[in-house]
């Protein structure tokens, strides 16, 4: 495994975005209040590096990534050959589950349906030692793994901040990770949600629970309009039991609309 030795010798980390000079936008609070949740939003405008943040305290705090980890998991699997390409199919194991997961998946369809069983199998194929090597080498969040290779990103051992997620997104988009460009392109392609003449929207939506069993959710991605790219991360949490599966996406789209996106004018 030649690339392992190369990787170990490289001093590299997923650098979080500097928020020291961030523009604070408290007008976004209304979108979280309307859904009766707490949360934060951060955006990086690539043209000038301007960062906009709502709720800085949460933006720099680490939380369970839940299925937001699918992005990192896929990058490692493709780089190490555990996935031979985005068209490689992992067959359904026959266990009946909810969420339309009772089927075969390739990478793109697994992203589309947020298919946890697929990504759990991917992690098992990567293995704990290899996964830990990449977590450490790329400084992903707190780099912590529990004993369970197929659930450590969902059991509150591994944690990452919205700010750190933003740094990872930018490096992925611009091929700045120490990975093959084809690997990064495959994951970017799998993240595309909308692609039309006005804009291209790519993201991962995730839900999970905090150590106190309170629900939390993520939307991590970017939007491209008029040849400009904007990276964003939304994080939500609630003390009340509620389904966050679509809520965090709704909040994200409302914020993007406030900023003038979706009309091809940005």
């Amino acid at each position: 495994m030649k690339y392992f030795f190369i990787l170990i010798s490289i001093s590299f980390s997923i650098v979080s975005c500097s928020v020291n000079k961030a523009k604070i936008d408290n007008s976004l609070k209304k979108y979280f209040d309307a859904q009766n949740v707490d949360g934060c939003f951060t955006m990086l405008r690539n043209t000038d590096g301007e960062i906009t943040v709502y709720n800085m305290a949460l933006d720099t705090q680490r939380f369970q990534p839940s299925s937001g980890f699918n992005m990192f998991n896929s990058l490692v699997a493709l780089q190490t050959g555990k996935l031979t390409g985005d068209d490689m199919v992992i067959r359904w194991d026959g266990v009946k589950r909810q969420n339309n997961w009772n089927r075969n998946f390739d990478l793109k369809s697994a992203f589309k349906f947020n298919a946890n069983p697929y990504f759990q199998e991917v992690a098992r194929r990567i293995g704990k030692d290899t996964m830990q090597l990449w977590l450490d080498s790329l400084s992903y969040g707190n780099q912590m793994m529990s004993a369970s290779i197929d659930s450590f990103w969902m059991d509150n051992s591994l944690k990452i901040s919205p700010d750190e997620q933003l740094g990872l997104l930018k490096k992925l988009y611009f091929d700045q990770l120490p990975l093959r460009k084809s690997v990064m392109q495959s994951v970017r392609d799998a993240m595309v949600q909308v692609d039309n003449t006005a804009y291209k929207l790519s993201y991962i939506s995730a839900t999970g629970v905090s150590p106190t069993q309170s629900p939390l959710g993520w939307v991590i991605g970017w939007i491209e309009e008029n040849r400009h790219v904007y990276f964003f991360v939304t994080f939500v949490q609630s003390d009340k039991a509620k389904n966050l599966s679509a809520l965090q996406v709704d909040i994200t789209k409302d914020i993007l609309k406030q900023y003038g996106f979706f009309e091809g004018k940005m």
Side-chain angles (χ1 to χ4, degrees):
M1 295 295 185
K2 181 179 178 181
Y3 60 86
F4 279 169
F5 297 102
I6 295 174
L7 181 61
I8 291 172
S9 67
I10 294 175
S11 177
F12 180 88
S13 64
I14 296 172
V15 180
S16 59
C17 294
S18 174
V19 293
N20 293 332
K21 298 181 180 179
K23 173 185 175 183
I24 305 301
D25 188 353
N26 289 324
S27 73
L28 305 184
K29 184 177 186 295
K30 59 181 177 288
Y31 298 115
F32 296 89
D33 289 348
Q35 299 287 358
N36 199 25
V37 295
D38 192 14
C40 67
F41 177 86
T42 181
M43 172 177 280
L44 169 63
R45 184 169 64 192
N46 186 65
T47 52
D48 58 8
E50 180 180 88
I51 298 174
T52 301
V53 176
Y54 163 67
N55 201 342
M56 183 75 75
L58 290 182
D59 182 57
T60 55
Q61 186 175 337
R62 286 172 171 168
F63 304 93
Q64 170 205 130
S66 191
S67 52
F69 185 70
N70 294 348
M71 181 171 64
F72 188 93
N73 196 2
S74 301
L75 289 169
V76 174
L78 288 164
Q79 180 71 16
T80 59
K82 300 307 179 182
L83 288 177
T84 57
D86 54 19
D87 58 349
M88 176 179 165
V89 173
I90 294 181
R91 300 187 63 82
W92 176 40
D93 60 9
V95 178
K96 292 186 177 180
R97 303 178 179 90
Q98 300 177 347
N99 300 328
N100 198 26
W101 290 341
N102 304 325
R103 48 169 290 187
N104 301 337
F105 284 101
D106 61 13
L107 186 64
K108 288 185 178 179
S109 59
F111 267 91
K112 179 180 179 180
F113 291 97
N114 224 349
N116 283 344
Y118 171 92
F119 291 106
Q120 288 180 294
E121 176 59 23
V122 166
R124 286 191 288 266
R125 294 185 183 192
I126 292 171
K128 189 170 184 180
D129 290 344
T130 301
M131 186 72 82
Q132 188 67 65
L133 172 66
W134 285 89
L135 289 171
D136 293 343
S137 299
L138 302 186
S139 298
Y140 185 94
N142 65 357
Q143 306 158 49
M144 298 294 293
M145 291 180 64
S146 64
S148 301
I149 180 59
D150 59 1
S151 61
F152 67 91
W153 61 91
M154 298 181 285
D155 65 11
N156 290 292
S157 54
L158 182 67
K159 295 183 179 182
I160 190 169
S161 71
D163 184 48
E164 289 170 321
Q165 294 273 33
L166 200 66
L168 172 58
L169 288 170
K170 183 179 179 181
K171 290 184 178 296
L172 170 60
Y173 184 89
F174 287 111
D175 287 333
Q176 293 174 344
L177 296 169
L179 307 169
R180 295 191 304 276
K181 289 185 177 181
S182 61
V183 167
M184 291 179 278
Q185 184 64 59
S186 290
V187 174
R188 290 196 299 267
D189 290 345
M191 290 174 61
V192 176
Q193 299 282 346
V194 181
D195 189 359
N196 57 39
T197 57
Y199 64 92
K200 186 175 182 179
L201 179 63
S202 304
Y203 66 82
I204 298 173
S205 175
T207 57
V209 292
S210 71
T212 60
Q213 299 303 301
S214 297
L216 56 82
W218 295 88
V219 180
I220 57 176
W222 56 81
I223 186 167
E224 301 164 82
E225 286 198 17
N226 293 323
R227 299 182 181 180
H228 297 304
V229 60
Y230 302 76
F231 304 96
F232 60 84
V233 178
T234 304
F235 175 78
V236 300
Q237 62 181 4
S238 175
D239 292 332
K240 299 180 180 179
K242 61 191 307 181
N243 184 1
L244 300 180
S245 60
L247 183 153
Q248 69 269 29
V249 175
D250 292 341
I251 291 174
T252 301
K253 290 182 176 179
D254 285 342
I255 292 173
L256 293 177
K257 286 178 183 177
Q258 174 174 313
Y259 286 153
F261 290 100
F262 304 135
E263 298 179 359
K265 299 178 181 179
M266 294 301 294

